Amino acid sequence: MKQFRPIDPCTMLCPVPAVMISCRGITEEKPNIITVAWAGTVNTTPPMVSVSIRKERYSHHLIQESGEFVVNLVDAAHCRELDWCGVKSGRDFDKFAEMKLTAVPAAELQYAPAIAECPAYLSCRVKSVTELGSHDMFIGEVVAVRVQEELFREDGSMHLEKAGLVCYNHGVYQQAQDVLGFFGYSLARPEVLKKRMAQYDR
Amino acid sequence: MKQFRPIDPCTMLCPVPAVMISCRGITEEKPNIITVAWAGTVNTTPPMVSVSIRKERYSHHLIQESGEFVVNLVDAAHCRELDWCGVKSGRDFDKFAEMKLTAVPAAELQYAPAIAECPAYLSCRVKSVTELGSHDMFIGEVVAVRVQEELFREDGSMHLEKAGLVCYNHGVYQQAQDVLGFFGYSLARPEVLKKRMAQYDR
């Protein structure tokens, strides 16, 4: 049997989504972007996400003030912008301008914009904020979703697996590739499996 | 500019981790495995994860009863087991036996076992349970982490990016591949970038 090596307790859940959160306060006009890997889906009905942010981050008070944020999914082509927005502060830079990203109105929201260059975004309204220690966990309800037209086929099916979405894996960014299967594929009859899997090869 | 298409509000945050949660109750001897994609890191200090589970799932009461669960990271070689454990119920099957997986004692825990075949696991103790609607969100503190020896190099560095970890991308399983960069790489000097990135090619 393979052997495990102990390491100190740490944030080792991998891979986690690496997303750009766009937001805007009420008193300030300038929108901001914060890169977050401490994000997850927490509920299906209604759809909810968690996003954890340190109190000292510039975006923290913008999100708390407006009660809104937008989760922008990121593709490999924008990994550099993703990283930069996670290292630099909105106190010092206009991140949209620096990264040549475009703030567009986000569906169903009043303050937080979406990032036009991202493959998809989720408009979220804050339902609760919980202090956990280093981070505050914002629970947001997903009130709108938009996906780039190019990720749809003519038959109306959406193919997010083609986007090369970025994830964070204990210090490095990787992209989601190679469709290994679909939900329930381990029980699919051979002909169903073959037919469904062929969709992902196109 | 590219165009967005609206879709109904949904659990669209992608990619999310696809992990096997192993657990055991106090009154029942049989351990169980539940596959979860609604999981995320929510805090760094102390390290905490969220795992959302429907009340009607068999594992829900096991975790509530023992106050423990183990997050087992999954590699592409075990994607079929991952999927199967997400579709079938522990009420009907001994999932460890059916999937030929090995339950081993999990570091720092009394009840929940770890899965010996997985590349890494996080032992977690439940800190809170929050009802969100369809799912209950368990917040767990990570009290121990173990990683397979084969993911370490002789210099002691850990290379989780080699594991081909599975993520869930809106209905399909993909694996994390292609190191795009490391945290802070957008600001690294060329020689540092070259040296660091070379580590991931070996």
Side-chain angles (χ1 to χ4, degrees):
Chain A
M1 191 178 289
K2 295 189 286 187
Q3 292 294 313
F4 286 110
R5 183 187 295 196
I7 65 170
D8 288 340
C10 62
T11 53
M12 184 74 176
L13 174 59
C14 294
V16 283
V19 291
M20 292 198 276
I21 307 287
S22 46
C23 54
R24 188 160 67 87
I26 292 175
T27 51
E28 291 163 82
E29 268 304 300
K30 191 183 76 173
N32 194 38
I33 302 170
I34 177 172
T35 294
V36 164
W38 294 176
T41 297
V42 294
N43 200 56
T44 299
T45 315
M48 291 181 178
V49 296
S50 77
V51 169
S52 289
I53 299 175
R54 290 177 191 269
K55 268 195 199 350
E56 55 268 32
R57 295 298 296 264
Y58 179 65
S59 293
H60 186 286
H61 87 272
L62 302 183
I63 294 173
Q64 200 149 40
E65 192 177 80
S66 68
E68 297 180 355
F69 61 90
V70 175
V71 178
N72 302 274
L73 308 190
V74 177
D75 53 20
H78 294 90
C79 191
R80 187 168 288 271
E81 290 84 344
L82 171 87
D83 181 64
W84 194 90
C85 289
V87 178
K88 294 294 186 181
S89 173
R91 289 190 191 92
D92 308 319
F93 293 96
D94 178 337
K95 293 188 183 178
F96 277 97
E98 292 285 333
M99 291 293 104
K100 298 185 171 49
L101 295 172
T102 314
V104 292
E108 304 295 333
L109 299 184
Q110 190 177 354
Y111 299 101
I115 304 174
E117 289 77 9
C118 285
Y121 75 81
L122 294 73
S123 296
C124 301
R125 280 210 195 96
V126 176
K127 305 305 282 185
S128 67
V129 187
T130 307
E131 298 184 338
L132 293 176
S134 56
H135 288 65
D136 284 359
M137 177 182 65
F138 291 81
I139 300 286
E141 182 174 339
V142 181
V143 295
V145 175
R146 296 292 182 271
V147 181
Q148 294 284 7
E149 283 287 353
E150 65 196 25
L151 290 170
F152 292 87
R153 292 201 179 127
E154 279 186 15
D155 64 4
S157 62
M158 190 177 69
H159 288 270
L160 205 59
E161 79 281 354
K162 297 282 186 199
L165 293 177
V166 180
C167 55
Y168 187 68
N169 195 351
H170 205 68
V172 303
Y173 306 104
Q174 291 184 294
Q175 59 175 314
Q177 286 184 304
D178 290 356
V179 175
L180 302 166
F182 49 89
F183 179 74
Y185 84 105
S186 63
L187 294 167
R189 283 175 291 125
E191 61 272 25
V192 174
L193 188 63
K194 195 176 167 187
K195 190 176 172 188
R196 284 282 303 270
M197 290 303 286
Q199 295 179 11
Y200 308 115
D201 292 333
R202 273 190 283 169
Chain B
M1 191 178 288
K2 296 189 284 186
Q3 291 296 311
F4 286 110
R5 183 186 296 195
I7 65 169
D8 288 339
C10 63
T11 53
M12 184 74 177
L13 174 59
C14 294
V16 284
V19 292
M20 291 197 277
I21 307 288
S22 46
C23 54
R24 188 160 68 87
I26 293 175
T27 52
E28 291 162 83
E29 268 304 298
K30 191 183 77 174
N32 194 38
I33 302 169
I34 177 173
T35 294
V36 164
W38 294 177
T41 298
V42 293
N43 200 55
T44 299
T45 314
M48 291 181 179
V49 295
S50 77
V51 170
S52 289
I53 300 175
R54 290 176 190 268
K55 267 196 201 345
E56 56 268 32
R57 296 297 297 263
Y58 179 65
S59 292
H60 186 286
H61 87 272
L62 303 183
I63 294 172
Q64 201 151 39
E65 192 176 80
S66 68
E68 297 180 355
F69 62 90
V70 175
V71 178
N72 302 273
L73 308 189
V74 176
D75 53 20
H78 294 91
C79 191
R80 187 167 288 271
E81 290 84 345
L82 171 87
D83 180 64
W84 194 89
C85 288
V87 178
K88 295 293 185 180
S89 172
R91 289 191 190 91
D92 307 319
F93 293 96
D94 178 338
K95 294 188 184 178
F96 277 96
E98 292 285 333
M99 291 293 103
K100 297 186 171 50
L101 295 171
T102 313
V104 292
E108 303 295 333
L109 299 184
Q110 190 177 353
Y111 299 102
I115 304 174
E117 288 79 6
C118 286
Y121 75 81
L122 295 71
S123 297
C124 301
R125 281 209 196 96
V126 176
K127 305 305 282 185
S128 68
V129 187
T130 307
E131 298 184 338
L132 293 175
S134 56
H135 289 65
D136 283 359
M137 176 182 65
F138 292 82
I139 299 286
E141 182 173 338
V142 181
V143 296
V145 175
R146 296 291 183 272
V147 181
Q148 293 285 8
E149 282 288 351
E150 64 197 24
L151 290 170
F152 293 87
R153 292 200 180 128
E154 280 187 14
D155 63 5
S157 62
M158 191 177 70
H159 288 270
L160 206 58
E161 78 281 356
K162 298 283 186 196
L165 293 177
V166 180
C167 55
Y168 187 68
N169 194 353
H170 205 68
V172 303
Y173 306 104
Q174 291 185 295
Q175 58 175 314
Q177 285 185 305
D178 291 355
V179 174
L180 301 166
F182 49 88
F183 179 74
Y185 82 106
S186 63
L187 294 166
R189 284 174 290 126
E191 61 273 25
V192 174
L193 188 63
K194 195 177 168 187
K195 191 177 171 187
R196 283 283 302 272
M197 290 302 286
Q199 295 178 11
Y200 308 115
D201 293 333
R202 274 192 281 170

